[in-house]
Amino acid sequence: MALDQSFVGRSYPPTEPYEVGREKIREFAVAIGDTHLAYTDPEAAKALGHPDVIAPPTFVFALSFEAAQTVVQDPALGLDYSRVVHGDQKFAYTRPVRAGDRLTVTSTIDSIASRAGNEMIDIRGEVHDASGEHVVTVVTKLVARRVEEGAA
Amino acid sequence: MTATVRYADVEAGTELPGASFPVTRATLVRYAGASGDFNPIHWNERFARQVGLPDVIAHGMFTMAEAVRVVTDWAGDPGAVVEYGVRFTKPVVVPDDDTGALIEVTAKVGAKLDDEARTVRVDLTARSAGEKVLGLSRAVVRLA
């Protein structure tokens, strides 16, 4: 069943603030094997002009994807999550995420499209800090794969 | 933001130092914990096969995180990345052995975008087991 086009442009309320911790950044950096000192050493980060350690570029995805769950699980939208794969991913930064940030994510459905039986949805997460300044825009394209003919 | 590469020193076609990133099952378990993505296709072979995959596959976001390291290591400051986007074209299949898989990343400057902002577009390729695992993989970086 095609997704309801009237959901395009729909926004969801901002999430509760997520506080970015130095140790969570360190854990993530270790998990991706990245030893860049800007992620773990506040002095090294300051030498680069950052007020505290910064997070690797893709760190913020965990927040935006958590926020997007409200969208993908909205029963009115009717997305079959068991068929969903991650299609595209984009980030546009005003500044890097850093320790001490309290970030909120506001999700909006940017587009819904159907191609060859696959359904595609673009969810945009606008990430702001505690002072309301923009930090990063995260755009996630999810693809619900076509149901094979004859499948239940 | 303090990139160490100077805008004046690069041109379209300038190659960045490439890198290869090994991935084992242990890598994926660790990434699942750090990222909060516990989808069983990334650690449970039985489940992965049930949903039609050849084996356990790496998180797409793990591959995306590895690929941009070529850019952040080159630029000197990870905060110099102003945009980054990819398309997930093929999964990185990670067998249950001591070797795992390898993600091989190459990159070059695709274009100089803005002389005033000193931004360049870096085009990335990421391959694993001979397959292109990322498409349309591009980063915009502000240089010194």
Side-chain angles (χ1 to χ4, degrees), chain B residues 110-138:
Chain B
K112 296 181 86 165
L113 300 179
D114 186 331
D115 290 346
E116 202 148 311
R118 303 185 308 279
T119 48
V120 300
R121 191 191 78 227
V122 175
D123 297 337
L124 292 147
T125 65
R127 307 180 75 84
S128 186
E131 298 263 28
K132 197 170 154 187
V133 293
L134 297 179
L136 302 172
S137 182
R138 291 170 174 175

mmCIF file of all heavy atoms in Angstrom, chain B residues 110-138:
data_model
loop_
_atom_site.group_PDB
_atom_site.id
_atom_site.type_symbol
_atom_site.label_atom_id
_atom_site.label_comp_id
_atom_site.label_asym_id
_atom_site.label_seq_id
_atom_site.Cartn_x
_atom_site.Cartn_y
_atom_site.Cartn_z
ATOM 1 N N GLY B 110 36.997 16.629 -5.731
ATOM 2 C CA GLY B 110 36.161 16.643 -6.931
ATOM 3 C C GLY B 110 36.064 18.023 -7.531
ATOM 4 O O GLY B 110 36.040 18.184 -8.758
ATOM 5 N N ALA B 111 36.009 19.031 -6.681
ATOM 6 C CA ALA B 111 35.883 20.417 -7.157
ATOM 7 C C ALA B 111 36.225 21.376 -6.032
ATOM 8 O O ALA B 111 36.048 21.056 -4.853
ATOM 9 C CB ALA B 111 34.457 20.680 -7.641
ATOM 10 N N LYS B 112 36.726 22.558 -6.428
ATOM 11 C CA LYS B 112 36.861 23.642 -5.466
ATOM 12 C C LYS B 112 35.564 24.434 -5.569
ATOM 13 O O LYS B 112 35.169 24.851 -6.660
ATOM 14 C CB LYS B 112 38.078 24.511 -5.803
ATOM 15 C CG LYS B 112 39.376 23.726 -5.675
ATOM 16 C CD LYS B 112 40.607 24.568 -5.987
ATOM 17 C CE LYS B 112 41.091 25.318 -4.767
ATOM 18 N NZ LYS B 112 42.484 25.839 -4.965
ATOM 19 N N LEU B 113 34.888 24.625 -4.439
ATOM 20 C CA LEU B 113 33.519 25.151 -4.488
ATOM 21 C C LEU B 113 33.429 26.646 -4.304
ATOM 22 O O LEU B 113 32.642 27.316 -4.958
ATOM 23 C CB LEU B 113 32.666 24.460 -3.403
ATOM 24 C CG LEU B 113 32.526 22.940 -3.503
ATOM 25 C CD1 LEU B 113 31.679 22.419 -2.358
ATOM 26 C CD2 LEU B 113 31.916 22.531 -4.841
ATOM 27 N N ASP B 114 34.211 27.192 -3.357
ATOM 28 C CA ASP B 114 34.006 28.590 -2.976
ATOM 29 C C ASP B 114 35.344 29.163 -2.503
ATOM 30 O O ASP B 114 35.834 28.786 -1.435
ATOM 31 C CB ASP B 114 32.946 28.642 -1.863
ATOM 32 C CG ASP B 114 32.549 30.059 -1.487
ATOM 33 O OD1 ASP B 114 33.396 30.979 -1.620
ATOM 34 O OD2 ASP B 114 31.401 30.248 -1.046
ATOM 35 N N ASP B 115 35.906 30.082 -3.289
ATOM 36 C CA ASP B 115 37.219 30.644 -2.960
ATOM 37 C C ASP B 115 37.196 31.411 -1.639
ATOM 38 O O ASP B 115 38.193 31.464 -0.924
ATOM 39 C CB ASP B 115 37.692 31.581 -4.084
ATOM 40 C CG ASP B 115 38.042 30.800 -5.350
ATOM 41 O OD1 ASP B 115 38.164 29.556 -5.261
ATOM 42 O OD2 ASP B 115 38.179 31.430 -6.412
ATOM 43 N N GLU B 116 36.046 32.038 -1.345
ATOM 44 C CA GLU B 116 35.965 32.839 -0.125
ATOM 45 C C GLU B 116 35.819 31.955 1.119
ATOM 46 O O GLU B 116 36.510 32.143 2.109
ATOM 47 C CB GLU B 116 34.774 33.794 -0.227
ATOM 48 C CG GLU B 116 34.899 34.988 0.688
ATOM 49 C CD GLU B 116 34.238 36.211 0.070
ATOM 50 O OE1 GLU B 116 34.507 36.516 -1.119
ATOM 51 O OE2 GLU B 116 33.428 36.830 0.761
ATOM 52 N N ALA B 117 34.889 30.978 1.030
ATOM 53 C CA ALA B 117 34.675 30.066 2.168
ATOM 54 C C ALA B 117 35.768 28.988 2.207
ATOM 55 O O ALA B 117 35.875 28.255 3.187
ATOM 56 C CB ALA B 117 33.305 29.419 2.075
ATOM 57 N N ARG B 118 36.583 28.897 1.148
ATOM 58 C CA ARG B 118 37.664 27.906 1.033
ATOM 59 C C ARG B 118 37.137 26.482 1.184
ATOM 60 O O ARG B 118 37.715 25.657 1.889
ATOM 61 C CB ARG B 118 38.782 28.185 2.059
ATOM 62 C CG ARG B 118 39.394 29.576 1.964
ATOM 63 C CD ARG B 118 40.560 29.750 2.895
ATOM 64 N NE ARG B 118 40.259 29.378 4.264
ATOM 65 C CZ ARG B 118 39.624 30.150 5.143
ATOM 66 N NH1 ARG B 118 39.249 31.363 4.789
ATOM 67 N NH2 ARG B 118 39.399 29.715 6.365
ATOM 68 N N THR B 119 36.007 26.211 0.547
ATOM 69 C CA THR B 119 35.423 24.874 0.632
ATOM 70 C C THR B 119 35.719 24.073 -0.633
ATOM 71 O O THR B 119 35.728 24.613 -1.745
ATOM 72 C CB THR B 119 33.896 24.938 0.839
ATOM 73 O OG1 THR B 119 33.345 25.859 -0.101
ATOM 74 C CG2 THR B 119 33.549 25.364 2.249
ATOM 75 N N VAL B 120 35.955 22.780 -0.426
ATOM 76 C CA VAL B 120 36.156 21.859 -1.541
ATOM 77 C C VAL B 120 35.218 20.670 -1.368
ATOM 78 O O VAL B 120 34.803 20.348 -0.247
ATOM 79 C CB VAL B 120 37.611 21.333 -1.627
ATOM 80 C CG1 VAL B 120 38.589 22.489 -1.808
ATOM 81 C CG2 VAL B 120 37.977 20.496 -0.412
ATOM 82 N N ARG B 121 34.882 20.049 -2.496
ATOM 83 C CA ARG B 121 34.102 18.811 -2.433
ATOM 84 C C ARG B 121 35.058 17.640 -2.601
ATOM 85 O O ARG B 121 35.848 17.614 -3.552
ATOM 86 C CB ARG B 121 33.062 18.783 -3.553
ATOM 87 C CG ARG B 121 32.037 17.645 -3.391
ATOM 88 C CD ARG B 121 31.190 17.472 -4.633
ATOM 89 N NE ARG B 121 31.957 16.762 -5.656
ATOM 90 C CZ ARG B 121 32.032 17.137 -6.933
ATOM 91 N NH1 ARG B 121 31.401 18.206 -7.360
ATOM 92 N NH2 ARG B 121 32.741 16.428 -7.790
ATOM 93 N N VAL B 122 35.004 16.707 -1.680
ATOM 94 C CA VAL B 122 35.815 15.498 -1.768
ATOM 95 C C VAL B 122 34.911 14.347 -2.184
ATOM 96 O O VAL B 122 33.853 14.136 -1.586
ATOM 97 C CB VAL B 122 36.491 15.183 -0.414
ATOM 98 C CG1 VAL B 122 37.230 13.845 -0.477
ATOM 99 C CG2 VAL B 122 37.433 16.303 -0.010
ATOM 100 N N ASP B 123 35.296 13.638 -3.237
ATOM 101 C CA ASP B 123 34.537 12.467 -3.696
ATOM 102 C C ASP B 123 35.208 11.208 -3.164
ATOM 103 O O ASP B 123 36.406 11.009 -3.360
ATOM 104 C CB ASP B 123 34.500 12.440 -5.228
ATOM 105 C CG ASP B 123 33.786 13.653 -5.801
ATOM 106 O OD1 ASP B 123 32.973 14.255 -5.068
ATOM 107 O OD2 ASP B 123 34.055 14.019 -6.964
ATOM 108 N N LEU B 124 34.408 10.372 -2.513
ATOM 109 C CA LEU B 124 34.940 9.179 -1.857
ATOM 110 C C LEU B 124 34.467 7.931 -2.578
ATOM 111 O O LEU B 124 33.355 7.896 -3.114
ATOM 112 C CB LEU B 124 34.411 9.117 -0.418
ATOM 113 C CG LEU B 124 34.925 10.194 0.531
ATOM 114 C CD1 LEU B 124 33.860 10.577 1.547
ATOM 115 C CD2 LEU B 124 36.172 9.700 1.244
ATOM 116 N N THR B 125 35.303 6.892 -2.560
ATOM 117 C CA THR B 125 34.818 5.575 -2.962
ATOM 118 C C THR B 125 35.144 4.611 -1.828
ATOM 119 O O THR B 125 36.196 4.708 -1.197
ATOM 120 C CB THR B 125 35.482 5.050 -4.253
ATOM 121 O OG1 THR B 125 36.873 4.846 -3.992
ATOM 122 C CG2 THR B 125 35.311 6.004 -5.412
ATOM 123 N N ALA B 126 34.207 3.718 -1.564
ATOM 124 C CA ALA B 126 34.411 2.708 -0.525
ATOM 125 C C ALA B 126 34.054 1.362 -1.118
ATOM 126 O O ALA B 126 32.961 1.192 -1.668
ATOM 127 C CB ALA B 126 33.541 3.008 0.695
ATOM 128 N N ARG B 127 34.986 0.416 -1.046
ATOM 129 C CA ARG B 127 34.770 -0.911 -1.611
ATOM 130 C C ARG B 127 35.037 -1.966 -0.556
ATOM 131 O O ARG B 127 35.861 -1.773 0.343
ATOM 132 C CB ARG B 127 35.692 -1.148 -2.815
ATOM 133 C CG ARG B 127 35.609 -0.078 -3.885
ATOM 134 C CD ARG B 127 36.554 -0.390 -5.034
ATOM 135 N NE ARG B 127 36.057 -1.455 -5.869
ATOM 136 C CZ ARG B 127 35.191 -1.272 -6.866
ATOM 137 N NH1 ARG B 127 34.758 -0.066 -7.153
ATOM 138 N NH2 ARG B 127 34.770 -2.291 -7.579
ATOM 139 N N SER B 128 34.333 -3.082 -0.701
ATOM 140 C CA SER B 128 34.601 -4.230 0.153
ATOM 141 C C SER B 128 34.373 -5.475 -0.685
ATOM 142 O O SER B 128 33.361 -5.576 -1.382
ATOM 143 C CB SER B 128 33.678 -4.232 1.378
ATOM 144 O OG SER B 128 34.041 -5.269 2.261
ATOM 145 N N ALA B 129 35.312 -6.410 -0.639
ATOM 146 C CA ALA B 129 35.238 -7.654 -1.420
ATOM 147 C C ALA B 129 34.946 -7.349 -2.896
ATOM 148 O O ALA B 129 34.176 -8.043 -3.552
ATOM 149 C CB ALA B 129 34.172 -8.593 -0.843
ATOM 150 N N GLY B 130 35.542 -6.274 -3.398
ATOM 151 C CA GLY B 130 35.416 -5.934 -4.811
ATOM 152 C C GLY B 130 34.146 -5.192 -5.177
ATOM 153 O O GLY B 130 33.984 -4.763 -6.315
ATOM 154 N N GLU B 131 33.242 -5.011 -4.208
ATOM 155 C CA GLU B 131 31.975 -4.319 -4.494
ATOM 156 C C GLU B 131 32.043 -2.888 -3.968
ATOM 157 O O GLU B 131 32.618 -2.632 -2.910
ATOM 158 C CB GLU B 131 30.813 -5.029 -3.773
ATOM 159 C CG GLU B 131 30.590 -6.456 -4.197
ATOM 160 C CD GLU B 131 29.494 -6.564 -5.240
ATOM 161 O OE1 GLU B 131 29.290 -5.590 -6.003
ATOM 162 O OE2 GLU B 131 28.841 -7.620 -5.277
ATOM 163 N N LYS B 132 31.386 -2.001 -4.721
ATOM 164 C CA LYS B 132 31.269 -0.621 -4.269
ATOM 165 C C LYS B 132 30.164 -0.574 -3.216
ATOM 166 O O LYS B 132 29.008 -0.873 -3.505
ATOM 167 C CB LYS B 132 30.898 0.240 -5.484
ATOM 168 C CG LYS B 132 31.121 1.699 -5.324
ATOM 169 C CD LYS B 132 30.942 2.385 -6.685
ATOM 170 C CE LYS B 132 30.533 3.824 -6.495
ATOM 171 N NZ LYS B 132 30.186 4.462 -7.766
ATOM 172 N N VAL B 133 30.523 -0.233 -1.984
ATOM 173 C CA VAL B 133 29.541 -0.291 -0.894
ATOM 174 C C VAL B 133 28.892 1.060 -0.597
ATOM 175 O O VAL B 133 27.849 1.116 0.050
ATOM 176 C CB VAL B 133 30.151 -0.896 0.393
ATOM 177 C CG1 VAL B 133 30.488 -2.369 0.164
ATOM 178 C CG2 VAL B 133 31.377 -0.138 0.862
ATOM 179 N N LEU B 134 29.525 2.139 -1.067
ATOM 180 C CA LEU B 134 28.913 3.463 -0.942
ATOM 181 C C LEU B 134 28.857 4.094 -2.323
ATOM 182 O O LEU B 134 29.801 3.974 -3.101
ATOM 183 C CB LEU B 134 29.718 4.380 -0.013
ATOM 184 C CG LEU B 134 29.853 3.971 1.458
ATOM 185 C CD1 LEU B 134 30.710 4.998 2.204
ATOM 186 C CD2 LEU B 134 28.491 3.855 2.129
ATOM 187 N N GLY B 135 27.747 4.787 -2.601
ATOM 188 C CA GLY B 135 27.639 5.564 -3.830
ATOM 189 C C GLY B 135 27.410 7.015 -3.465
ATOM 190 O O GLY B 135 27.051 7.318 -2.325
ATOM 191 N N LEU B 136 27.607 7.906 -4.427
ATOM 192 C CA LEU B 136 27.364 9.343 -4.212
ATOM 193 C C LEU B 136 27.958 9.807 -2.885
ATOM 194 O O LEU B 136 27.356 10.579 -2.150
ATOM 195 C CB LEU B 136 25.862 9.648 -4.224
ATOM 196 C CG LEU B 136 25.094 9.261 -5.489
ATOM 197 C CD1 LEU B 136 23.596 9.448 -5.289
ATOM 198 C CD2 LEU B 136 25.570 10.104 -6.671
ATOM 199 N N SER B 137 29.144 9.304 -2.603
ATOM 200 C CA SER B 137 29.752 9.589 -1.312
ATOM 201 C C SER B 137 30.599 10.847 -1.429
ATOM 202 O O SER B 137 31.635 10.844 -2.095
ATOM 203 C CB SER B 137 30.598 8.389 -0.890
ATOM 204 O OG SER B 137 31.157 8.608 0.374
ATOM 205 N N ARG B 138 30.139 11.905 -0.787
ATOM 206 C CA ARG B 138 30.780 13.218 -0.941
ATOM 207 C C ARG B 138 30.835 13.951 0.380
ATOM 208 O O ARG B 138 29.891 13.894 1.157
ATOM 209 C CB ARG B 138 29.964 14.077 -1.918
ATOM 210 C CG ARG B 138 30.029 13.564 -3.326
ATOM 211 C CD ARG B 138 29.040 14.281 -4.198
ATOM 212 N NE ARG B 138 29.218 13.860 -5.582
ATOM 213 C CZ ARG B 138 28.425 14.239 -6.573
ATOM 214 N NH1 ARG B 138 27.423 15.044 -6.335
ATOM 215 N NH2 ARG B 138 28.667 13.815 -7.798
#
